[in-house]
Amino acid sequence: MHTATTQVLSNGISLLVHSWGDPGNTPLLLVHGYPDNHRVWQPVAERLADRFYVIAYDVRGAGGSDVPVKLSDYRMEQLSRDLLAVVDALIPGRQFHLAGHDWGSIQSWESVTTEPLKSRILSFTTISGPSLDHMGYWMRKRFTSLSWREQRKALRQLVSSWYIMFFQLPVIPPLSWRLGLGKWWPTYLEKREGVCEAAVNPTQAKDGQYGVNLYRANFQSKLLNPQPRYAAAPVQLIVPTGDNYVGTQLFEDLHEWVPQLYRRDIDANHWVPLSHADIIARWIAEFAEAVDAGKLSQWSAAHLK
């Protein structure tokens, strides 16, 4: 299996990019979340490399990529420009399939729903990462509802998202990673999430420390002032029903923003790219290949029962 590593420059920030497979195959981009780097996708990437040209990169502040100086350098618009820089460097002018997990999905929604990449994305598989704009509209709708049941959904999501509010605190969240949380993280994944990484992540403390800025730079503005975000590409929504961080109720209104929406639930926790790599790789491949063949209706009839 052909593998390669390269550096791509995006607005002064060097991004470490990894690829697997034949560059002549259909491209597939994988974007990781927090507090991870590209390694969270590696088991899936290796399973897909015989059919796709698979690309994954360390987002700014994570893994082997540079750490920006300013908080504003983590805003959604810049994250979308990073994805543009990666695809323009490795697959210039070509269309591609896209999949994101956690923050990788959150930031990818910006590219899926806005130009210049909106017209180049063939399909999007989203896992445990809602659009912050969609989430803002969802929260507003529930909190202004006259139904206590609907208001309770929003309150429940706030409780499960306690860490987002914690990340807004000064000093403490990034400092906790520097003081030992990075070493403790594999134990947390094993005990809380039932996930064992193949090897210790050498940049775990860095990934956690600087990734906090993703939340600080985007959540408040997006949730308080959401913008309409409509997807043109077909979207496969994979929902881990045991997710401890992203409530399944957040996707109730997604059909309003995505005309071609296909949902698959999986009995798993948040880190499904690690815990269920075989299934996730198969589902991503099936969806992408159905899109390429123009047979989404037949695929959905056969697989979404």
Side-chain angles (χ1 to χ4, degrees), residues 136-301:
Y137 282 112
W138 183 91
M139 295 288 285
R140 180 183 297 179
K141 184 176 179 180
R142 267 69 193 174
F143 275 127
T144 58
S145 172
L146 298 178
S147 167
W148 165 240
R149 181 186 177 196
E150 293 300 305
Q151 294 174 14
R152 189 170 57 187
K153 289 180 182 179
L155 290 171
R156 191 186 311 127
Q157 181 57 47
L158 285 179
V159 171
S160 64
S161 299
W162 62 269
Y163 58 94
I164 296 174
M165 289 171 275
F166 171 70
F167 288 159
Q168 307 304 316
L169 297 176
V171 182
I172 297 176
L175 183 63
S176 64
W177 287 97
R178 294 169 56 189
L179 295 180
L181 182 55
K183 293 182 179 179
W184 179 71
W185 188 250
T187 302
Y188 175 82
L189 286 180
E190 181 180 359
K191 302 299 183 183
R192 172 65 166 165
E193 298 294 324
V195 170
C196 291
E197 295 180 287
V200 175
N201 177 8
T203 63
Q204 186 64 73
K206 172 192 177 183
D207 300 344
Q209 176 184 352
Y210 295 107
V212 167
N213 290 325
L214 295 168
Y215 295 86
R216 292 179 168 181
N218 294 290
F219 258 88
Q220 184 175 343
S221 60
K222 284 288 188 179
L223 294 184
L224 294 180
N225 186 34
Q227 302 298 310
R229 290 288 188 260
Y230 294 95
V235 174
Q236 176 177 217
L237 170 64
I238 297 178
V239 181
T241 55
D243 199 314
N244 293 307
Y245 314 98
V246 182
T248 58
Q249 69 273 5
L250 280 176
F251 305 109
E252 292 174 338
D253 299 341
L254 190 54
H255 62 278
E256 298 178 4
W257 307 103
V258 181
Q260 299 181 77
L261 179 64
Y262 304 86
R263 173 169 173 162
R264 298 176 111 168
D265 289 5
I266 181 170
D267 182 14
N269 293 341
H270 184 76
W271 270 273
V272 285
L274 289 174
S275 63
H276 294 71
D278 283 333
I279 295 175
I280 297 303
R282 186 174 75 247
W283 285 1
I284 291 174
E286 288 175 352
F287 187 63
E289 289 170 348
V291 170
D292 288 342
K295 297 180 178 180
L296 265 184
S297 58
Q298 296 95 315
W299 171 84
S300 61

Side-chain angles (χ1 to χ4, degrees), residues 26-31 57 79-84 87-88 91 93-100 104-126 230-236 258 260 287-288 291-292 296:
T26 301
L28 168 63
L29 266 288
L30 305 174
V31 189
Y57 64 100
L79 299 175
S80 183
R81 285 194 285 269
D82 288 348
L83 179 56
L84 176 63
V87 297
D88 277 354
I91 50 169
R94 296 171 65 185
Q95 292 183 301
F96 59 94
H97 297 280
L98 178 65
S105 177
I106 291 174
Q107 70 183 67
S108 290
W109 277 108
E110 189 74 10
S111 299
V112 171
T113 58
T114 62
E115 295 296 355
L117 283 179
K118 182 177 182 178
S119 56
R120 288 176 61 183
I121 295 173
L122 296 167
S123 76
F124 178 43
T125 294
T126 169
Y230 294 95
V235 174
Q236 176 177 217
V258 181
Q260 299 181 77
F287 187 63
V291 170
D292 288 342
L296 265 184

Side-chain angles (χ1 to χ4, degrees), residues 27-50:
L28 168 63
L29 266 288
L30 305 174
V31 189
H32 71 82
Y34 175 87
D36 304 312
N37 57 42
H38 80 279
R39 292 157 54 99
V40 76
W41 276 117
Q42 187 160 336
V44 172
E46 291 173 348
R47 287 163 169 80
L48 292 171
D50 61 332

